[in-house]
Amino acid sequence: MGETAAVESAFGVAVAAPDIGFAELGLCECHRGQCGLAGRAAAGQGAAVEGGLGEHFVDVPVGVVVGCRVQPGPGAVTEFATADYGARMSLVGRDVEQARIQRLLTNARDERSGALGLRGAAGIGKSVLLDHAVSIAEAEGSMHVVRGAGVESDSELAYGGLHQLLFPHLDRLDALPTPQATALRCAFGLAEGDEANRFLISAGTLSLLADLAEDAPLLCVVDDLQWLDQGSVEALLFAARRFVADPIAMLFAVRETSMPFEIAGVEVVDLSGLAAPDAARLLDDHAPELIEPVRTRVLAESGGNPLAIIELGSSRLAARDVDESDPAEQVGPLPVTRRVQEEFRHQIVELPDPTQRALLVAAADTAAPLATILHVIESLGGTPGDLAPAERDRLVRIDSQITFRHPLVRAAAYQDAPLHRRIEVHRAYAEALRADADADRRAWHLAAATTTPDEAVAAELEGAAERAWHRGGAMAVSAAYERAGRLSADRELKARRIARASQAAFDAGKADRAARLAAEALSLTTDPGIRADAIYTRGAVEYERTSPRADAELTIEAAALVRDTDPERAALTLFEAAHAARHGAAHDLLGRAADLMRGFTPPEHWAPVVAALLGWAELFAGRPELAVGPMRDLHTATRGGHYLMHRITAGFGGLMIADDDRVIAGTEDMLAEVRATGALGWVPYTLNVLAVARLFRGEFADARACVAEGASVSDELGNTTESLAHRSVEVWLHAVSGDEARSRALAEEVLPRARARHRVNAEIAAWGLGMLDLSARRFGEAFDRLERVSRGPASRDLLVRAVPDLVEAAVRSGKPDRAHGPLAAFRHWAQHVDRPVATGLVLRCRALLADDGDADALYAEALRLHERHGGPYERARTQLVYGEWLRRRRRRTEARGHLAAAVSAFERLGAELWAERARGELAAFGERGDEPQRSGPLTLLTPQELQVVRLAADGHTNKEIAAQLFLSPRTVGHHLYKAYPKLGVTGRTELAHLV
């Protein structure tokens, strides 16, 4: 008795541990007691048992015997190993996956963050690989582990999954930036507040995990990700994509289903079935007594699925005689998951009826505490002992709660129960749960127990939807409102609830669901307000699915419904219609929206916005004299903070009338605000305005930083249209830098889609390609491209500012007459916007077209304005064309000065083709000129490095920068560490002088 030994496990792994006491062992259930394994066993790795014959491996629950070697004879000594049942089930044949997990953990210990997804069918071994990762992480005590799992019954409870994962660590919330900590408290129901911001919740998740990793490298493991509520999934994936230099590894498992669950931005390993030799090895280890026909069939029907191999190998299929000549045995195989669930169902139906009912209670709410489950069982006439047979058969494990051996066991226990029993169980839960502490869970159980319209239950679900809205769980809001709608007895109430479910579905990124629910709401009601809301949601869907034009058409229809009865809703809808029409360069639709605005008295706070939007319509109709005043007034009205919608309107409008400096100042303030408040949905739009303004100012490195972040956040949000808008601007930026290959490749990828999605920015990309040809002296090609831009649908929008390039291309290609029409429109615009940079561009254009007698003075005046107001790029462009003109008139000294200054400026900006063109003009003097200079130091930084450097130069700490950019402090430090050598500095104290 008490002898200790090492034993070879099912995988050839030696395991040994000290004898640390005894515990009772049950019979070896799998082998039907054939080995006679019974008696007392050490909690470690050694024991003495009575009886037993042969040598084999046994599978029993976690922490009990999985392998034994029995020596025949009285008082035989049995050597055995304890391990997880699942681990020996499917680590066979998973060497590649184990190596990939090992690399992930090693990288995390070396402060290289990483995330990995495991995707596969039920039973394929995902959970076992997660267990393997946890065992490695905990083996040396070198990593901290946080672990959670999705539960199907909780998938509609806002942030339930995140709460499960992070609840043990909520004492760390005070270390987070205050807005993030507040958002998490609201999401978890620990504090009252306005609507929780889902992006702040995501940022808070990132910060909390990063804070945990300060103590020790961290492994975050989440099983059944597809069953987590959407808000929790968004938060975890948001964090996973942003960790760079933190000692954090994130590992997710997701079930393969008919509707794929995307793990966006995370590397995914697809788990297939085991190879034939590995499958045979696992089956033989588990069920060596199978006769050959049955063994062959199990291997064929399991498809290499480890769970199917184990279950089919030990099922009644293995126990019964099989007649291979029977046609019933020759029918094609069932899908593996269905087959395995069927095997579990057979196990369940053989249990006593009270046990089946107890399993149904546990399956109806797997997240319920054990006490609640036992209370419900007893309320239905059962006892806690009813669960014993299921526990004995290893269908469940019972500790502080009840855990099913596999999700398919739970599915079989619930789905195969009669409807009347399921209703009975859900009603019992609803009676057991408190209306205050468990209101949401109670509402869902009531809903599950209700099969006909019931306004009282619908009202409780609507309350659950409102609470979920305050916690920021958009998909939970949608699900609750939809179910409330289904249970509504009143048709108008049903329509209103379904319309709200539609809007919440769109907010959750579920466009198809949103469109379906909006259409249903429209079919139910004639109420103008409800119809306007549903049409508005349909428009938002169409903006992403089809085009901004489709959105504008629908939102104009919605605005017409409520213009005279609901001014607030009408103003919001007209705002959306005008912006969508403008993005799509659909000026006819903007005109229709303007017609509605002209007969409309908006609420006072909307009045300057409506006036500015009417100004847009006037501008695009060619009447800048009627547009500039109200557009400029809006900027003044929104100074010092206002509604974000109003400020973004002022930003876009300011770009159209050349108020670049004011736009940059106002938009930077807005960007700081949306970062601080976590309004991440506004970040791409704000960065779009800022990127274009910096582009016009010649601040190309900063514009690239804006574009990079804007595209990244747009992709994060699934905002395809705004992502294309940013990448269109990126085409222009590659063009101005002279990176012809990247500019053309990106344009080829982006332009076909961008022209349908965001026509204004698509035309910016086309302008960039024309400018690329112009800088490379391909004047004919440049003229053709730029003429199309300057006569295109966005020619009176931002693209009016492409006209100076068109004029230069027309003159250089020998077609000056073709420039007069566009130049006349440009001069009319510039006259009324009355900005020095625009006036300087007009003068430069006139100089290019003028006779020698007039050109000199025009160039000189244009240069004077651009030296004071134009920014480095426009100043260099004016110096270049003036220098070219002077060289052709043999005014060498003056020409040399302007051309050398242009070369220097272009080199600092990283505008290599423009610098080469200017150097070519100097070479025409017979002068070699200086060697090309390195670009300005800021152009050497990546976009994110530049963002971090600028904030650090302003005096922000790493933690403050991390909160603004939704990064971890370690990642901020990593970017600074990479940036310092590029800038030639050794610390942040030197940044302020450099930047």
Side-chain angles (χ1 to χ4, degrees):
M1 299 284 288
E3 181 174 343
T4 60
V7 62
E8 186 179 355
S9 78
F11 307 108
V13 180
V15 289
D19 187 343
I20 55 174
F22 288 87
E24 293 294 325
L25 286 176
L27 289 174
C28 170
E29 292 290 328
C30 175
H31 293 276
R32 292 147 181 85
Q34 292 174 17
C35 71
L37 179 61
R40 294 191 302 160
Q45 257 57 50
V49 297
E50 296 181 359
L53 297 171
E55 175 178 331
H56 60 271
F57 296 101
V58 189
D59 61 56
V60 289
V62 174
V64 194
V65 179
V66 294
C68 67
R69 179 174 288 123
V70 182
Q71 299 174 358
V77 174
T78 301
E79 301 166 356
F80 70 93
T82 64
D84 186 293
Y85 158 74
R88 68 169 293 271
M89 176 184 76
S90 61
L91 276 179
V92 170
R94 296 298 185 202
D95 295 345
V96 173
E97 292 82 0
Q98 291 180 72
R100 181 66 188 84
I101 289 171
Q102 181 65 64
R103 285 201 307 276
L104 181 75
L105 300 181
T106 300
N107 287 341
R109 291 191 185 101
D110 293 339
E111 298 190 1
R112 297 196 302 274
S113 308
L116 182 68
L118 303 175
R119 186 195 308 277
I124 206 69
K126 305 180 296 297
S127 300
V128 175
L129 284 167
L130 297 188
D131 292 338
H132 173 69
V134 170
S135 68
I136 294 174
E138 293 179 337
E140 302 172 0
S142 60
M143 294 190 81
H144 183 56
V145 177
V146 294
R147 188 167 190 175
V151 178
E152 191 173 12
S153 60
D154 283 359
S155 61
E156 306 300 355
L157 296 177
Y159 296 105
L162 204 60
H163 186 267
Q164 173 201 144
L165 187 75
L166 300 180
F167 182 77
H169 311 290
L170 296 185
D171 58 323
R172 292 177 174 262
L173 287 181
D174 288 339
L176 273 55
T178 300
Q180 296 178 16
T182 301
L184 283 176
R185 287 191 176 97
C186 290
F188 297 155
L190 303 176
E192 295 294 331
D194 296 330
E195 177 191 7
N197 184 302
R198 70 189 222 244
F199 304 118
L200 274 180
I201 293 167
S202 296
T205 301
L206 180 151
S207 297
L208 184 54
L209 292 175
D211 189 62
L212 284 170
E214 290 296 319
D215 296 342
L218 178 70
L219 172 62
C220 177
V221 174
V222 181
D223 202 355
D224 282 321
L225 188 71
Q226 78 282 349
W227 284 338
L228 245 62
D229 60 279
Q230 183 166 340
S232 296
V233 172
E234 286 179 351
L236 289 168
L237 295 184
F238 179 94
R241 288 188 288 263
R242 278 169 167 72
F243 287 127
V244 174
D246 295 84
I248 294 177
M250 302 188 75
L251 192 57
F252 306 108
V254 61
R255 182 182 296 187
E256 185 179 77
T257 62
S258 58
M259 295 185 65
F261 184 93
E262 295 299 326
I263 314 178
V266 172
E267 180 187 354
V268 174
V269 173
D270 289 305
L271 300 180
S272 56
L274 297 178
D278 294 322
R281 176 186 166 198
L282 180 61
L283 180 60
D284 291 343
D285 283 348
H286 179 78
E289 79 286 357
L290 287 183
I291 61 175
E292 182 52 38
V294 177
R295 179 180 182 277
T296 300
R297 186 174 178 201
V298 167
L299 290 173
E301 296 236 354
S302 67
N305 184 297
L307 179 63
I309 291 170
I310 297 294
E311 295 304 327
L312 296 179
S314 61
S315 69
R316 292 178 338 284
L317 171 65
R320 68 174 184 259
D321 293 330
V322 177
D323 182 358
E324 289 295 311
S325 66
D326 184 349
E329 302 292 350
Q330 299 170 1
V331 175
L334 294 167
V336 170
T337 302
R338 179 178 165 192
R339 168 72 77 167
V340 174
Q341 185 169 332
E342 182 71 7
E343 292 303 325
F344 286 137
R345 189 186 72 80
H346 283 307
Q347 293 182 48
I348 291 170
V349 298
E350 290 181 349
L351 295 170
D353 188 71
T355 301
Q356 293 184 47
R357 182 174 58 191
L359 278 180
L360 172 59
V361 172
D365 193 338
T366 52
L370 180 60
T372 302
I373 294 174
L374 295 179
H375 176 81
V376 172
I377 290 172
E378 291 171 345
S379 74
L380 295 171
T383 69
D386 293 343
L387 287 165
E391 188 178 17
R392 180 200 65 211
D393 286 357
R394 298 180 295 105
L395 294 172
V396 295
R397 184 172 69 247
I398 303 175
D399 40 47
S400 60
Q401 59 185 52
I402 297 178
T403 305
F404 283 87
R405 171 173 157 192
H406 191 276
L408 291 179
V409 178
R410 175 184 179 270
Y414 185 83
Q415 293 171 6
D416 292 324
L419 175 62
H420 73 276
R421 278 202 165 181
R422 297 202 300 269
I423 291 174
E424 177 185 59
V425 165
H426 285 297
R427 187 171 290 122
Y429 265 114
E431 292 172 359
L433 294 171
R434 293 166 52 195
D436 53 350
D438 303 299
D440 291 351
R441 212 170 211 93
R442 169 185 158 82
W444 279 108
H445 278 296
L446 280 172
T450 306
T451 57
T452 58
D454 186 317
E455 182 53 36
V457 177
E460 290 213 30
L461 273 173
E462 184 166 5
E466 290 298 318
R467 289 187 292 274
W469 182 81
H470 283 287
R471 292 195 299 273
M475 197 59 217
V477 174
S478 179
Y481 267 127
E482 181 183 7
R483 185 68 178 128
R486 303 276 172 251
L487 293 175
S488 300
D490 180 82
R491 187 180 179 91
E492 292 300 318
L493 277 175
K494 179 177 183 178
R496 179 176 61 79
R497 288 164 174 161
I498 295 294
R500 290 186 178 179
S502 172
Q503 179 61 59
F506 179 78
D507 292 341
K510 301 295 184 182
D512 289 343
R513 174 185 173 90
R516 172 179 58 79
L517 291 170
E520 181 179 355
L522 287 169
S523 71
L524 291 169
T525 184
T526 59
D527 181 275
I530 299 174
R531 291 186 64 82
D533 286 347
I535 294 170
Y536 184 93
T537 301
R538 286 182 59 199
V541 170
E542 290 304 312
Y543 185 94
E544 282 303 313
R545 179 184 285 169
T546 307
S547 68
R549 181 181 181 90
D551 180 13
E553 288 174 335
L554 285 165
T555 46
I556 288 169
E557 177 186 349
L561 287 171
V562 293
R563 188 191 70 165
D564 298 328
T565 57
D566 191 337
E568 184 74 32
R569 185 179 276 159
L572 175 63
T573 310
L574 288 168
F575 162 88
E576 175 67 20
H579 277 264
R582 183 253 163 185
H583 290 168
H587 297 160
D588 58 323
L589 294 179
L590 184 57
R592 284 173 51 191
D595 289 341
L596 288 172
M597 293 182 214
R598 289 188 183 98
F600 168 58
T601 302
E604 183 177 354
H605 64 279
W606 275 104
V609 180
V610 170
L613 294 175
L614 282 168
W616 290 13
E618 297 291 355
L619 186 70
F620 299 151
R623 296 185 289 268
E625 62 274 14
L626 300 178
V628 171
M631 291 170 70
R632 201 157 277 161
D633 289 344
L634 178 61
H635 189 281
T636 302
T638 58
R639 186 182 301 151
H642 215 275
Y643 297 97
L644 294 177
M645 288 178 288
H646 302 184
R647 293 164 70 182
I648 204 72
T649 305
F652 281 122
L655 293 177
M656 298 177 210
I657 57 175
D659 278 349
D660 303 337
D661 292 343
R662 292 209 299 178
V663 167
I664 289 174
T667 308
E668 283 184 331
D669 288 345
M670 180 178 172
L671 182 61
E673 181 178 323
V674 297
R675 289 193 195 284
T677 59
L680 194 62
W682 282 98
V683 167
Y685 300 100
T686 309
L687 287 171
N688 187 0
V689 173
L690 199 54
V692 175
R694 292 199 178 283
L695 176 155
F696 288 151
R697 287 279 301 159
E699 298 166 357
F700 301 142
D702 291 290
R704 289 188 187 94
C706 292
V707 163
E709 185 185 4
S712 173
V713 174
S714 297
D715 291 339
E716 187 89 52
L717 302 175
N719 189 336
T720 303
T721 299
E722 204 58 26
S723 177
L724 288 168
H726 279 283
R727 298 182 75 204
S728 296
V729 176
E730 187 180 359
V731 171
W732 196 102
L733 291 168
H734 286 319
V736 79
S737 71
D739 192 339
E740 185 158 2
R742 291 178 70 184
S743 182
R744 293 194 185 283
L746 185 59
E748 186 175 343
E749 175 191 347
V750 167
L751 273 175
R753 292 182 296 153
R755 285 196 169 106
R757 296 274 194 164
H758 201 300
R759 188 59 185 266
V760 172
N761 281 32
E763 292 297 301
I764 290 177
W767 171 17
L769 293 177
M771 180 189 56
L772 180 65
D773 288 329
L774 184 61
S775 64
R777 304 180 66 88
R778 295 187 293 264
F779 298 125
E781 292 92 330
F783 174 79
D784 291 340
R785 288 185 187 277
L786 293 166
E787 186 177 46
R788 286 194 293 272
V789 168
S790 296
R791 297 184 185 277
S795 60
R796 287 173 175 163
D797 201 303
L798 303 179
L799 279 301
V800 70
R801 298 172 80 160
V803 168
D805 286 345
L806 170 68
V807 171
E808 185 177 344
V811 171
R812 299 293 187 240
S813 62
K815 304 171 185 174
D817 291 345
R818 301 273 289 275
H820 289 298
L823 179 56
F826 182 75
R827 289 181 68 177
H828 184 54
W829 169 82
Q831 175 188 353
H832 291 286
V833 302
D834 192 25
R835 286 292 177 261
V837 63
T839 303
L841 289 171
V842 169
L843 291 169
R844 190 172 82 200
C845 291
R846 290 176 58 199
L848 282 162
L849 291 164
D851 296 331
D852 284 356
D854 298 324
D856 197 2
L858 291 169
Y859 276 128
E861 180 60 15
L863 183 56
R864 185 187 69 80
L865 289 172
H866 284 162
E867 284 176 337
R868 297 180 61 185
H869 305 285
Y873 177 65
E874 291 300 351
R875 180 172 66 247
R877 290 285 304 275
T878 302
Q879 288 168 330
L880 173 60
V881 292
Y882 192 16
E884 288 173 334
W885 184 85
L886 290 167
R887 185 188 66 79
R888 286 170 176 78
R889 275 114 195 113
R890 302 185 181 277
R891 293 163 59 176
R892 298 170 61 91
T893 301
E894 294 171 274
R896 185 184 299 110
H898 290 307
L899 291 171
V903 169
S904 178
F906 287 138
E907 287 177 341
R908 286 196 302 273
L909 291 168
E912 180 50 39
L913 282 180
W914 285 111
E916 185 178 326
R917 178 173 151 184
R919 285 194 293 268
E921 289 292 322
L922 283 172
F925 285 123
E927 298 180 5
R928 293 178 56 189
D930 297 329
E931 288 296 317
Q933 300 298 306
R934 193 181 80 162
S935 300
L938 295 183
T939 66
L940 303 177
L941 303 179
T942 68
Q944 192 145 83
E945 287 168 359
L946 179 59
Q947 286 182 304
V948 169
V949 162
R950 284 204 177 279
L951 289 169
D954 285 341
H956 294 286
T957 66
N958 285 10
K959 189 172 183 180
E960 291 168 343
I961 297 169
Q964 286 203 43
L965 300 183
F966 306 106
L967 301 171
S968 73
R970 280 180 182 259
T971 297
V972 170
H974 170 78
H975 287 309
L976 286 173
Y977 176 78
K978 300 280 282 186
Y980 289 159
K982 297 179 184 180
L983 298 174
V985 302
T986 58
R988 65 200 305 144
T989 56
E990 301 171 63
L991 291 178
H993 300 294
L994 180 65
V995 176

